[in-house]
Amino acid sequence: MFIETETTPNPASLKFLPGQPVMQQGTREFATPEAAEASPLAQAIFDTGEVVNVFFGGDFVTVTAVPGVSWSDLKPQVLAILLDHFVAQAPLFVPGTAGGIAVPPEDEGMLVDEREEDGDIIAQINELLETRVRPAVAGDGGDIQYRGYRDGVVHLQMQGACSGCPSSTATLKHGIEGLLKHYVPEVVEVRAA
């Protein structure tokens, strides 16, 4: 088995591509060692002691190192953990956990109370996020979660490599905000959640 690696716009994150599906649907982010207890794979990566975030995408795993850690030292450790996991065909989540559930759940975690009359606008926003934005963000080793719309303001949360990336503000303000404003004139601003 060969696992490819790709750099991400976030210099602290590296994207690992095992050449097979990681998550059958959705994504999952582990931002603490305690959260990683739901996944033997995420827990093993955190156990290196040099990791602050593990993110599972459809066909990739993004790992974010603690500040100051050299990827030349950490990368072989992560590759060995990933190889062991995928060669053994080990389960991604601990049996009996809610590991496959997106966190936070997509129907929860809204930052604003949405209005029923904004339903069409919200549907347009979500369609653009799903078809245009998520694939591009996944290419950089992350994901984006919708967290609400009200009074022209869209709230989004960056995950994976994108959550701590120095260019994530530019991505939100210049890329995603511009796209949403172009196709949905009611959108006036995009804010990070």
Side-chain angles (χ1 to χ4, degrees), residues 78-151:
V78 174
L79 282 170
I81 292 166
L82 292 171
L83 277 170
D84 288 347
H85 174 84
F86 287 107
V87 167
Q89 297 179 345
L92 194 58
F93 296 100
V94 175
T97 70
I101 298 172
V103 175
E106 299 208 13
D107 60 343
E108 294 180 19
M110 293 298 162
L111 294 179
V112 294
D113 290 328
E114 295 179 325
R115 296 183 300 224
E116 197 173 311
E117 60 266 22
D118 290 332
D120 288 341
I121 296 167
I122 293 167
Q124 290 175 47
I125 291 167
N126 280 310
E127 174 71 18
L128 286 166
L129 291 175
E130 198 62 39
T131 60
R132 298 266 183 114
V133 177
R134 285 185 114 180
V137 174
D140 287 339
D143 195 15
I144 191 161
Q145 295 293 319
Y146 172 79
R147 292 288 169 252
Y149 169 83
R150 181 147 185 148
D151 300 326

Side-chain angles (χ1 to χ4, degrees), residues 10 13 29 31 53 64 141-143 157-166 168:
N10 183 350
S13 298
E29 182 171 41
N53 191 292
T64 304
D143 195 15
Q157 179 181 357
M158 304 295 271
Q159 296 181 312
C162 301
S163 65
C165 180
S168 65

